[in-house]
Amino acid sequence: MAAHLKKRVYEEFTKVVQPQEEIATKKLRLTKPSKSAALHIDLCKATSPADALQYLLQFARKPVEAESVEGVVRILLEHYYKENDPSVRLKIASLLGLLSKTAGFSPDCIMDDAINILQNEKSHQVLAQLLDTLLAIGTKLPENQAIQMRLVDVACKHLTDTSHGVRNKCLQLLGNLGSLEKSVTKDAEGLAARDVQKIIGDYFSDQDPRVRTAAIKAMLQLHERGLKLHQTIYNQACKLLSDDYEQVRSAAVQLIWVVSQLYPESIVPIPSSNEEIRLVDDAFGKICHMVSDGSWVVRVQAAKLLGSMEQVSSHFLEQTLDKKLMSDLRRKRTAHERAKELYSSGEFSSGRKWGDDAPKEEVDTGAVNLIESGACGAFVHGLEDEMYEVRIAAVEALCMLAQSSPSFAEKCLDFLVDMFNDEIEEVRLQSIHTMRKISNNITLREDQLDTVLAVLEDSSRDIREALHELLCCTNVSTKEGIHLALVELLKNLTKYPTDRDSIWKCLKFLGSRHPTLVLPLVPELLSTHPFFDTAEPDMDDPAYIAVLVLIFNAAKTCPTMPALFSDHTFRHYAYLRDSLSHLVPALRLPGRKLVSSAVSPSIIPQEDPSQQFLQQSLERVYSLQHLDPQGAQELLEFTIRDLQRLGELQSELAGVADFSATYLRCQLLLIKALQEKLWNVAAPLYLKQSDLASAAAKQIMEETYKMEFMYSGVENKQVVIIHHMRLQAKALQLIVTARTTRGLDPLFGMCEKFLQEVDFFQRYFIADLPHLQDSFVDKLLDLMPRLMTSKPAEVVKILQTMLRQSAFLHLPLPEQIHKASATIIEPAGESDNPLRFTSGLVVALDVDATLEHVQDPQNTVKVQVLYPDGQAQMIHPKPADFRNPGPGRHRLITQVYLSHTAWTEACQVEVRLLLAYNSSARIPKCPWMEGGEMSPQVETSIEGTIPFSKPVKVYIMPKPARR
Amino acid sequence: MPEIRVTPLGAGQDVGRSCILVSIAGKNVMLDCGMHMGFNDDRRFPDFSYITQNGRLTDFLDCVIISHFHLDHCGALPYFSEMVGYDGPIYMTHPTQAICPILLEDYRKIAVDKKGEANFFTSQMIKDCMKKVVAVHLHQTVQVDDELEIKAYYAGHVLGAAMFQIKVGSESVVYTGDYNMTPDRHLGAAWIDKCRPNLLITESTYATTIRDSKRCRERDFLKKVHETVERGGKVLIPVFALGRAQELCILLETFWERMNLKVPIYFSTGLTEKANHYYKLFIPWTNQKIRKTFVQRNMFEFKHIKAFDRAFADNPGPMVVFATPGMLHAGQSLQIFRKWAGNEKNMVIMPGYCVQGTVGHKILSGQRKLEMEGRQVLEVKMQVEYMSFSAHADAKGIMQLVGQAEPESVLLVHGEAKKMEFLKQKIEQELRVSCYMPANGETVTLPTSPSIPVGISLGLLKREMAQGLLPEAKKPRLLHGTLIMKDSNFRLVSSEQALKELGLAEHQLRFTCRVHLHDTRKEQETALRVYSHLKSVLKDHCVQHLPDGSVTVESVLLQAAAPSEDPGTKVLLVSWTYQDEELGSFLTSLLKKGLPQAPS
C-alpha cells in the first residue's frame, strides 16, 4: 500500500512540475499521502518552532530509503514555504542537503525548488545553508553541465551578499562546480560561462578574512579538480602572504606552491631591480620567508611544502642552509665550517680556546643584508623553531630535498646531525630516519660520525635501533671511522645488552660495506700477534661475536683476509656459521671443504625445481579419489612429510607448503576417522573407540581455523574450501555424538544447529557453489529439503553416507601466502634468577617480540600468561606498543603485568603470543545484517585464539607480604 | 599636533639601568626602573629628578612597567618608589613579581652587608614596594585608567620576561624589554602579533651580531662535559643564580637522562632553591617541551641535580658542579676553582661574559698562573672552556620582530651606540621604517596622526552599502550624510535625522529651467510627445504622465505651456530638486536637443 502511494506521489509530481514550476508547489499540497506522512503529521502538529525543530532532529536520526526521499523532500519543501522561523528553515535546508546525498536518489528534481526558495530567502544563515545544499546537489550530478552552470550563476549572484557565511559558501560552490574554459558546444550560455577564476580572484581582497580564505581554498579546489589555473594569480597570491590573518597566509602559501608547480619555468621580475628569475625560485624564496612567520601553523605549512619543490635551482636550495654569521660586524665562521676546517687540516676538533671562534675579517656594513628576501637560512630557522611540529616538518622537507639533490644532501648533513640532539625524541628519531634515507648520497666525515655515534648511548631503545639501522647503510670514509663505530657499538652493547641482535645486524652490514677499511684493522681486532699465540677469546662473549661478525662479513668480499685469522678463529667461524647463519656468510676458506660453497651457487636455480616438486606432489594427491583408503592414507602421509621438509628447506615456499600440508592433514584425519570400525557396529557398543573420531573432528576444526587466520594472503577461494572442510568436521562431530549418546534431546539441538550452519554456508558462498561440484556440500544441498523434515537419526545416517562418498576438493594455491609467526626476544627464558615481587602486588615484565606477516596486529595479537596452577590470563597490548619497522613486519614492545598469590618456591610461568580471530568479522557482511546497527563489539569480539609463538618460561617468585 | 615623546633616563645608547619615559596622548609611563652594574655611586640609579624636582612622582607618572626581573631592569624600584616616592601602580608579570624581591633582597645584602653602604633601601622598603605591584597575565589587556591600557606579550629571555604594549586610543607604543627570538631549553621565543604600533622600543644588545645555531653550542657543551666526566674529571660551571643556570641545568639533566649517566651533578645553593621553586610553578611560561611533559614530570624537579655541600668538593671521582657567582670573582665558585685548578683532568666552563679584572676573565684570556690574595700563586692546570649562552635577540631576530609588529617607527635602546648606528641604518634601509636612538636624557618627539572615530547610524550605513558593490570595500567611498559634532564625539547621520535632532525645518531647493520647443500642436500633445520621447530614452527611470498634463521623471517635473505670442513654440518648464541635480541637468540638455519628429 505504502509503495503504491509513493508511486502516486511521484507520478503526480512529475506531471505537474514539468510545465511550470510556480504552480507546482501549490498543487503539491494535494499529494499528502506518502510514506513520510508521519513526518508531515508531526510537522503539522508542531505548535511552536522549537517543537518543529525537535521533530526534524528526530527525523534526521533515522535513515531514509532512496525510494522515499522524493516524498520526504516534497513535504519538507512544503513546510519550508510556510515556516516563519529561520532556525527551522535552516534545519530543513540542511536536511535537504543530507537527503540529496542519499545513494540512489537523483537530486536534479529538487534543484529548481532549492533555487526558488533561495531567491526569496532573507536570513543569511539559511541562505548559506541552502547554498550548501546546492553544493551537495551539484557534486552529486557532476555530469550535468547545465545544472552546474546554473548553480555557478546562482553563486555569482549571491557573491555580493553582506554576510561572510553566504559569500563563503558561494565561493565554495564556485570552487567545486565552476570551470575555467567552457565547452565549445555551449556557446549559447556564454554569459554563464564566465571566468570563474577571475571571479574568485576578485575575492582575494575581500574585507573579511574568512572570505579571503574561502576564495583561496576555492582556487585550490579548482586546481584539485584538474583545471589549470592562470599564472596571473601568482602576484595576487604573493600579496596575500602578508595578510593579517594566519589562515589566509597559510592558504596563500599553498596556492603559491600550486602555481609554482604549474609554471616552474616562467620568468618573473624581481621587484626593485630589473633582474628576472624563474617562478619556482621566486616562489621558493617566498615560502622560505614564511618559515619565519609569526604563526606556527603557517610555519609548519611552509616548511612542509618546501620539501616538495624539487625543481628549485641548487643555488637557491643551498642558500636555505646559509646564515652569514657575524659578531660585532666582523664575519664569523659557523661551528660547522670550523669543524670542517679542523678536519681537513688533519687536526681533531679541540675547540678548547676562548676566541677559537673569534671573528676574522671585517664585514662591509653596506653589504650585509639582514632580511634577505631570498631563501637565506630558511632551514636554519626551521630547525631551530620553538614548536617541534615545525622542526619535524623542516626535517622532513630536508629529507625530501636531499633525496633529489646529492650536493644538497652533503650540505645538510651537519644540520641533520645537529638535530640528533633535539630535546624532543620524535624529532631526534625523525632526523635519524631522514639521515638513513639519504645515506646513499653521503659519506660521513669522522667528526660527524663522532656526533652520530654519541647518540648510541641514548636511553631510548627506538633511538638506538634507528641509529643501528642508519649505521647499516652509512658510508664511512676512513678505517678510523670504522674503528670508532665498532668501539662505540661495543660500548653500547655493554651498556644495553638487550641491543645484541640489532648491533650484530648492524655490524654485519658495516663489515660487508667496507671490506677494505676493515682489512687493516683485523690484527688489532682479533688481537693476533705475528709471533705469539694469544689467548683464545671466550666464544660466548657477545662483544667478541660482534667483532667476528664484522670481520667475517668483510672477509666475504676480501679474499686476503682469512690469511690473517688464527686457528681458533676458523673454529669459531664454523661454530658461528652454524649457530648464527643469518649473520655469518659462507666464506671460501683455504684448506677447508666448503659444504656451503657447494650449495650456495645452486640455491638460485633450485628454486624452480622445488616449485615444480611442490606442484607435482600436490597434483599427485588429487588422484586420491581413485585409491583405496589404505593407499590414500599412505599417499597423504608421504606428501605431508615431503611438504614439511620442503617448507623447511625453502623459506620462500614455506608458506605455501605449510598451508597445503595442513589442508592435507585435515583430509588425512577425516579419512582416518571414517575408516574407524565403529561405523560398522551397532552404536552403543563402541563408546570408547569413538575417541579417535571425535578427537579428529576437533583437530580438523582447529586446523581449519589456523588455515583461515594464520596465513596472510588467503583469498576467498581458499576460504570456501576451508569452511567446507570445517563443515565436514562438524558433520563428523554430529555423527560421532549421535552414535555415542543416548537419548534424542541433545541431538535435536545439534541437528538444528548443523542445518543452520549449512544454510549460512550456502548464503555466504553462494557465488562459489558452482566450484564445489560433487563435494560434500553439493550433495548436502541437494538433499536439503529432505533433511529439513527428517528426524535426527535419519539425518545422521544420510550425513554418514554422504561423508564417505564426497569427493576430495582441490585446494587452489594463492599467489602469495605467508604464515604468521612470532618470536619472543625478551624475556629470553634463560635466567635462573627468579623475578621476585610481593604477592598480591604487580610486577611488570618487559615483552619484546617480532611478528611476521600478521595482519592488523593491533587487534589480533594478544599476550597470554599461563601460571603453574593452570590459570591463564590474556592481555591486550596497547595499539601504541606495536611498531612497524618494515612491510609485513611488526614489533611488539610492551609490558605485561603479572600478579599472583604467594608461592613457596620460585616457579615458571609461560608467556606466549596468541592470534585472536573472529570468523564472523572476516566474512563479508550479509544483506540482513546491514543497516548500520551492527554494534562495534561484533567486530572486535574474540571467537577463539591460536597460539603462534613458542612459549617462553619466566621464573617468578611471589613472596608473601611481610606484616 | 598630537605626539609621542620618549626620553631614556637609562639604557639610552648604553646597557644597564634601563629606564625610559614615554608620554603618549597626555599619559606618562615609565618603562623599567633598573640599576647600573658598572657604578657604585649615584649614577647606578636613573636620575629621577628629571621627572620632577619637587613633589611626588605619583602626580607625574600614570604607571610604571617592569619587563623582567633582571636587576638592570628592576634594581632601582624600591629606591624609586620608597625613597624618591611613588604610589601609583607598578605593573609586572606574575613570575617577575615572585622572583624580583628575591633578587632585590640579594642585591641589598651585597650592597649593605658586604660593602657596608649606608642610605640604601631596606628589606621593609622592598616589601612595601612590592605591595604596589599589580600582576598581569600574558595577553591580558589591563586598563590602567579610562584611556590608558597595557598588554603583555611573551618575550622569552628569562622566566616571566614580557614585552608591553601601551595604548591610548589609537596610539600605541610597544616596549620589548629584553627578548629572545630563538627558543632555548627552558623558554620559548618571543612573539608579538601584527599590532602595528606607532613606535616600537626595542633592545639592541646584539645589534651587530648574527648568531650561529644554538644546537652546535649545546652539543659542544654536552660533549665537553661528557668527555671530562668519562675521564674521571670534575667539571665546574660558574653561573649566576637565575636564568642561564636553569637552562644549563635542564640541558644537563635531560642529557643525563638520555644517556643514562650516573655521575652526580650539584648545584650550590643559595637563592637558587627559592628561585627554582618558582620555576616549577610557572610552567605556562616555559617552552613547549616542558609544558607538554610536566604532567608526567616537572622538568624543574631535577632527578640528577642535587644540592651542593662544601664537603663534596673533596670527594673523589667525577662530578659536575654549578656554583655562583658567574665570574669566579668571589664566593663558592672561586673556592671550588682553587681546589680543582691543579688537576689537568678537571675542567671549568664559563657560560658567559666576564668583566675585566675577575678571575674568570684572566683564565679566559689564557693566564695560567694566578695571584691570589695572600701572595699565593695558583697554577691553573685544569682545562678552561668558554661557551656563550646568551638570551638576547641577534640582529636578524630584532629585524624579525620589527617585521612581525610592523611599527611606524623604531627606537633602539639597551645597546652600544656604535652598534646601534649600524642596526638603525639597516632598519631604515631594509624595512623603510624611521629609526631613532636617543642618548640618556635626550627626548625623541614623534608626531602622530591619530584616527578619530566617528559613529555612523546603522540606517545610513545600510542605505549606502546597498548602493555599491562590496568587494571594493577597502577603498574609500563617497557617502552622503551629516556630521554632527556634539559633546566631543562625532556622529554621522542621515540628513533627515540631523534635521530632526537639531529641530530644523528642511528647505527645499529647486532648480527651474525653461526649454523652448518648436511645436505647433497643443500643449497636451506636446506633453504627450515629450512623455513618449522620455519614456523611450530613460528606460530604467520611472516616467509618468499625470492627468493634469504634466510629466514627471522620478521627482523632476515637466510642464508644457504655450506662450501667447508665438503659437509655433512651446515652453517646457523643467523643475528639479537639489538632490536630483544630475538627472535634471541631463533632462534639460536632452530636451534642448529637441524632440524627434513624430511619425505623423
Side-chain angles (χ1 to χ4, degrees), chain B residues 553-556 576-586:
Chain B
V553 182
E554 310 264 301
S555 66
V556 185
W576 65 92
T577 60
Y578 167 68
Q579 284 87 345
D580 280 327
E581 163 68 22
E582 212 178 327
L583 181 67
S585 43
F586 172 72

Side-chain angles (χ1 to χ4, degrees), chain A residues 40-239:
Chain A
H40 176 74
I41 294 163
D42 276 347
L43 285 178
C44 288
K45 266 198 302 195
T47 47
S48 69
D51 270 358
L53 213 51
Q54 275 308 318
Y55 288 128
L56 286 171
L57 282 172
Q58 264 166 24
F59 175 72
R61 278 185 206 123
K62 289 179 221 130
V64 181
E65 308 80 34
E67 309 89 64
S68 50
V69 168
E70 180 81 42
V72 174
V73 164
R74 288 294 137 210
I75 291 190
L76 285 175
L77 278 173
E78 192 181 323
H79 280 276
Y80 185 94
Y81 291 117
K82 286 191 284 190
E83 189 55 61
N84 291 324
D85 187 74
S87 59
V88 178
R89 287 209 305 274
L90 182 77
K91 185 66 204 167
I92 293 179
S94 89
L95 273 179
L96 286 180
L98 276 177
L99 286 172
S100 58
K101 279 182 197 159
T102 318
F105 168 70
S106 169
D108 45 357
C109 48
I110 60 167
M111 198 183 77
D112 286 328
D113 294 85
I115 293 178
N116 242 345
I117 53 180
L118 191 70
Q119 265 143 15
N120 303 325
E121 185 55 61
K122 289 284 174 296
S123 155
H124 293 302
Q125 276 151 322
V126 183
L127 261 179
Q129 189 57 55
L130 279 171
L131 284 164
D132 203 38
T133 306
L134 286 179
L135 179 62
I137 296 174
T139 40
K140 195 83 193 300
L141 305 163
E143 280 83 42
N144 197 332
Q145 286 278 332
I147 285 188
Q148 304 237 332
M149 209 106 66
R150 212 167 140 206
L151 289 177
V152 167
D153 242 20
V154 170
C156 290
K157 216 174 283 164
H158 284 92
L159 266 178
T160 48
D161 197 282
T162 48
S163 155
H164 70 88
V166 178
R167 272 178 288 158
N168 263 356
K169 287 288 172 205
C170 287
L171 287 167
Q172 211 178 331
L173 202 64
L174 285 178
N176 276 302
L177 302 175
S179 49
L180 296 182
E181 287 88 14
K182 260 295 98 97
S183 49
V184 195
T185 50
K186 302 260 174 178
D187 264 9
E189 282 168 289
L191 263 180
R194 359 187 171 190
D195 188 359
V196 178
Q197 186 185 330
K198 173 137 192 334
I199 299 169
I200 296 176
D202 285 344
Y203 282 82
F204 279 5
S205 53
D206 194 273
Q207 57 172 350
D208 194 303
R210 288 164 289 197
V211 179
R212 290 200 293 273
T213 317
I216 302 173
K217 291 251 168 78
M219 203 63 106
L220 290 169
Q221 183 69 35
L222 282 182
H223 169 73
E224 244 164 65
R225 285 173 47 225
L227 304 176
K228 190 154 183 170
L229 303 183
H230 297 313
Q231 201 195 322
T232 42
I233 55 164
Y234 180 69
N235 283 333
Q236 287 178 292
C238 287
K239 266 178 223 138

